[in-house]
Amino acid sequence: MAGKVKWVTDIEKSVLVNNFEKRGWSQTSTDEDWNFYWMSVQTIRNVFSIENGYRLNDDQIVNHFPNHYELTRKDLMVKNIKRYRRELEREASPLVEKDENGKYVHLDFIPVTFMLPGDYNLFVEEFRKNPTSTWIMKPCGKAQGKGIFLINKLSQIKKWSRDSRTTTYRLGFCRFCTMKYTPSTSELDNMFVHLTNVSVQKHGGDYNPIHGGKWSVSNLRLYLESTQGKDVTDKLFDDIHWIVVHSLKAVAPVMINDRHCFECYGYDIIIDDKLKPWLIEVNASPSLSSTTANDRILKYNLINDTLNIVVPNGEMPDCKWSRCPPKEALGHYELLYDEELAQNEGVECEGKPRMGPSLNKGNRLKDTRKPFSTWK
């Protein structure tokens, strides 16, 4: 279809606008005809609300699924992954194999997690098994480190005990803290030790605005290969691929499959001292703000590769498309899982294979009171 793509965004970031302008697309407003809308989470909520009843045309595409929160709300993410495990257990899938301690061999990638106040009694039982442990309390629907605190005593969350009687259930880069981690209980309130969020770390006296407390993934890989060895590093990144694939499969049955929609998720993964990755959360709208020159280049290229996939060759969007983008359109993305190929083969992988080529390009991966999720 001929004609320029007309774009709208309510997130005025240079990495977005520069990519749209590079393609020769035309900026328009929400009151006029548009083809491509990069929306905030709040806007997508309004667009797909029952009250609004907005229907997208065949030539319109947006950057969120209606119920993206099934993966990007911490409580729902955990619920869906646990349900996914149970379904695989009913199918007697080899993916839910457990070791002698009862832990999943292949799907043990989220920390021990409880939803408070609903799971308060279960949390207390687990806490008392390891009374010296430190737990992190995270609000389910907030970002940028807001509302997070650490505890090592039950008395610090006694209010959840009271509330539980009446309340029902409800490419990338790596970031570092500016202060060395310590398990000392005297540092529980020092967020410069525990949170890597730039919004927190930039206020610290040791913050360096040149590198922003960040490494590219390629630099992280280089460091790990030189200090830990290539095999160990390959396994770490394979494990990260594994987390991405199976977290997405966990929400596939509940995610509304709308062909007008796509997602650019931001995966928050923490790596422990044994080089085991753990999924902390998935962000619906990963930050597109740039704190360093390398940061700006990385995010510009991320958006560029994303647009090449969802709007290949700069063509007018068409939700009736039913084809994979050409290989050259993938840019620095890597295909970790081909669902169509897996279905054609009719075989679920047994054990834990390599999910794809190792990451060698380094810069692409990625009201009532709200309940909290607790992470060990």
Side-chain angles (χ1 to χ4, degrees), residues 199-235:
S199 56
V200 173
Q201 293 294 329
K202 68 181 181 182
H203 299 294
D206 294 325
Y207 179 74
N208 185 325
I210 297 177
H211 58 64
K214 299 178 182 179
W215 277 1
S216 68
V217 170
S218 59
N219 283 345
L220 172 65
R221 186 172 194 118
L222 182 64
Y223 171 78
L224 291 175
E225 286 183 352
S226 64
T227 58
Q228 306 295 324
K230 189 174 187 307
D231 290 343
V232 171
T233 304
D234 284 345
K235 182 181 184 303

Side-chain angles (χ1 to χ4, degrees), residues 38 42 52 92 158 270 297 338:
W38 193 287
Q42 181 59 49
N52 190 353
K158 273 297 182 183
I270 191 169
I297 294 171
D338 189 324

Side-chain angles (χ1 to χ4, degrees), residues 69-80:
Y69 46 79
E70 293 285 353
L71 183 62
T72 59
R73 267 189 67 105
K74 303 172 189 69
D75 53 341
L76 297 180
M77 178 192 79
V78 171
K79 181 199 73 173
N80 283 309

Side-chain angles (χ1 to χ4, degrees), residues 241-268:
H241 293 166
W242 184 261
I243 289 173
V244 173
V245 169
H246 286 283
S247 62
L248 291 172
K249 292 186 71 176
V251 299
V254 297
M255 194 69 70
I256 296 174
N257 185 13
D258 191 322
R259 285 174 174 258
H260 297 92
C261 308
F262 70 96
E263 291 283 355
C264 180
Y265 289 129
Y267 273 73
D268 281 0

